[in-house]
Amino acid sequence: MDIVTMARKAPSKARKTSLPPFLSNPFVLALAAVAVVFAVAMGVATLTGGRSGGGQAQQAPVQHAAVPPAPPSVLPATPPSSPAVKAESPAHAAEGPEHAVPEKPAQDKAEARPPATTVAMLPPPVPPALPPVQAPSGNAALWRKNALPAEVPPGKPIIAIVIDDMGLDRKRSARMAGLHGPLTLSWLPYARELSAQSKAARANGHELMLHMPMEPSVKADPGPNALLVSLDKGEIVKRFRTALDSFDGYVGVNNHMGSRFTADRAALTPVLAELHRRGLLWLDSRTTPNSAGIGLAKELKMPWVGRDIFLDNEETVAAVKAQLAKTEQVARRQGYAVAIGHPHDATIEALASWLPDVQKRGFVLVPVSAVVRTHHAGG
C-alpha cells in the first residue's frame, strides 16, 4: 500500500519540480508584471494613433519602472493597470488634441492668439491734428494788404517795437502814436472811439494790431468779453469775432494777458483757425512758456512770430533802456527781434531817446509784418 501510494505520488512530485527555478522568484514575477503593463500601454497607443496622448503613454511605464517591486510576501494578484488608463484617458481623446497637449508657455499662447486679437491691439488711426482752413493766399491775405510798407536791406538786423494796451489811456496812447516810427500799435477791442484812434495812428506811419483779452493764470482782470477756457467753442468764436470786427486796418492779433488761455491748446485752436481763415497773422506775446500758440500756427501754416523781449516790466527809464539794449543783442544774434512795451511814461521817454539813434548803430526799425514776411511767413 505504501509502495503504490508512493508510486502514484511520484509523477506529481516530478511535475512540480519540472518548472524552471527562476519562475518561482518573486522579483522575476514583479518584473514580468511591469513588462506586461508596458506591452499593454504600447499596444493601446498604437491602436489609438497616440497623436497627442502618445507622449504621455510612453512616459508612464518609464515612471513606474523606477518604482521598486512589491515585497515577495505581498505579490499582487493582478498587474496594476491604473497608470495605463491615465496615460491614455478616453476623456482626453474625446476633448480633442488641444486639451491633451501640455500647456505652452505664455509667449507661445500670445503667438497662438487669433488674428482678431492682434488687430484689436493695434493703435487706432490718428485723426488730423487740425481741420483744414481755407485762407486767402499771397497778397490777398489781410496781413499783407494792411501791412505798412517797409524795406528790409539784406544783411542788416531788424527790430520791431510793439506797444500793447493802446486805446484805454487816450492821452498816453496819443503820445506814443506821436513818436517817430515805424512802431506797431496793438489796440484793445473795448477802447472807446477805437476806429478814430487807430486811423490817426496809421496816418502817422504806424502799423496796427488787435490786442485780444485772454484769461490769465493769476488773479487779474483781462477786461470785458475776454476769452476764457471755461467757455465752449461757440462762445469763444463769437467773442473773438466781435473783437475782430471792432475796427479794421490791422495786420493781426496778439494776446492781452492770456497765460492760462494760450496754454490750453483746445481753447486756442478755434481762435487761430479764425485768424488764419481771415488771412491775419499771429503774434504770440509769450506770457507763459507753456503757450501753444506758435506750435498751432506752424501746424496751420499761418504767418506767426513770437515776442523776444518785454521792455517795461520795471517802469523806469533806465530799466526800459536796458531792455532796449538787450533787444539789440537779440537782433544781432538771430537777425531780428520783437520787443513789447506799453504806453507808460517811462517807456515813452526811453523810446523817444532811443528811436533816433537805433539806425546809426546798424539796425533797421520795421513793423512786425516785416519780421513775419522775412522770417516766419507761413501764409
Side-chain angles (χ1 to χ4, degrees):
M1 188 69 178
D2 292 336
I3 296 174
V4 174
T5 303
M6 292 178 61
R8 289 177 179 176
K9 290 182 177 181
S12 174
K13 187 175 181 180
R15 284 197 299 271
K16 289 182 180 181
T17 57
S18 63
L19 293 175
F22 66 89
L23 290 179
S24 62
N25 191 324
F27 293 99
V28 173
L29 292 176
L31 290 176
V34 172
V36 170
V37 171
F38 182 81
V40 171
M42 289 296 294
V44 172
T46 303
L47 292 175
T48 58
R51 283 192 299 170
S52 57
Q56 295 178 359
Q58 293 175 6
Q59 293 174 2
V62 177
Q63 293 174 357
H64 286 280
V67 178
S73 59
V74 196
L75 188 65
T78 58
S81 59
S82 57
V85 174
K86 288 184 179 179
E88 187 62 36
S89 171
H92 285 183
E95 291 175 2
E98 57 184 324
H99 298 283
V101 176
E103 184 175 359
K104 293 184 178 180
Q107 183 178 0
D108 293 338
K109 282 186 174 182
E111 293 175 355
R113 288 176 179 173
T117 305
T118 304
V119 173
M121 294 174 64
L122 295 175
V126 179
L130 294 172
V133 178
Q134 296 296 329
S137 60
N139 293 330
L142 276 180
W143 78 273
R144 292 183 183 272
K145 292 176 65 176
N146 295 334
L148 189 71
E151 293 184 7
V152 181
K156 283 195 173 185
I158 60 177
I159 295 175
I161 302 295
V162 180
I163 304 300
D164 286 349
D165 296 351
M166 290 291 290
L168 289 188
D169 188 331
R170 297 189 62 174
K171 181 180 178 180
R172 289 181 173 83
S173 296
R175 286 177 58 196
M176 185 67 77
L179 294 178
H180 180 71
L183 302 175
T184 301
L185 307 180
S186 192
W187 303 81
L188 289 164
Y190 50 85
R192 294 182 179 179
E193 299 183 11
L194 182 54
S195 181
Q197 289 191 74
S198 60
K199 285 181 179 179
R202 183 66 171 81
N204 202 35
H206 302 299
E207 195 165 78
L208 308 179
M209 290 193 71
L210 170 68
H211 197 38
M212 186 66 210
M214 299 181 184
E215 182 177 4
S217 56
V218 297
K219 291 184 178 180
D221 183 11
N225 296 315
L227 304 183
L228 311 174
V229 296
S230 59
L231 301 174
D232 59 39
K233 178 181 176 181
E235 182 62 22
I236 289 174
V237 173
K238 178 183 176 182
R239 291 189 179 192
F240 188 45
R241 287 175 177 172
T242 300
L244 291 171
D245 295 338
S246 60
F247 72 110
D248 56 19
Y250 53 87
V251 297
V253 172
N254 72 323
N255 52 293
H256 172 57
M257 300 187 183
S259 54
R260 183 178 183 187
F261 190 85
T262 58
D264 192 310
R265 177 186 171 93
L268 187 60
T269 295
V271 174
L272 293 197
E274 180 67 17
L275 267 185
H276 189 31
R277 188 183 68 81
R278 296 193 181 207
L280 295 166
L281 65 84
W282 164 250
L283 165 60
D284 197 320
S285 299
R286 286 175 170 163
T287 55
T288 172
N290 300 320
S291 174
I294 291 179
L296 283 172
K298 290 179 179 179
E299 291 182 41
L300 286 166
K301 299 181 180 179
M302 65 180 291
W304 64 273
V305 70
R307 185 268 314 161
D308 297 300
I309 299 290
F310 273 127
L311 294 177
D312 48 16
N313 284 339
E314 184 181 345
E315 295 181 33
T316 66
V317 175
V320 175
K321 286 184 175 181
Q323 291 300 97
L324 287 169
K326 288 184 179 180
T327 303
E328 293 181 11
Q329 295 173 6
V330 172
R332 288 192 186 280
R333 184 175 67 250
Q334 68 181 11
Y336 69 93
V338 177
I340 291 181
H342 303 83
H344 303 316
D345 291 336
T347 309
I348 295 170
E349 185 177 342
L351 283 173
S353 63
W354 178 81
L355 287 170
D357 297 330
V358 64
Q359 295 190 24
K360 297 178 183 178
R361 293 190 292 273
F363 299 95
V364 180
L365 190 66
V366 297
V368 74
S369 62
V371 177
V372 174
R373 187 177 70 247
T374 56
H375 293 280
H376 301 300

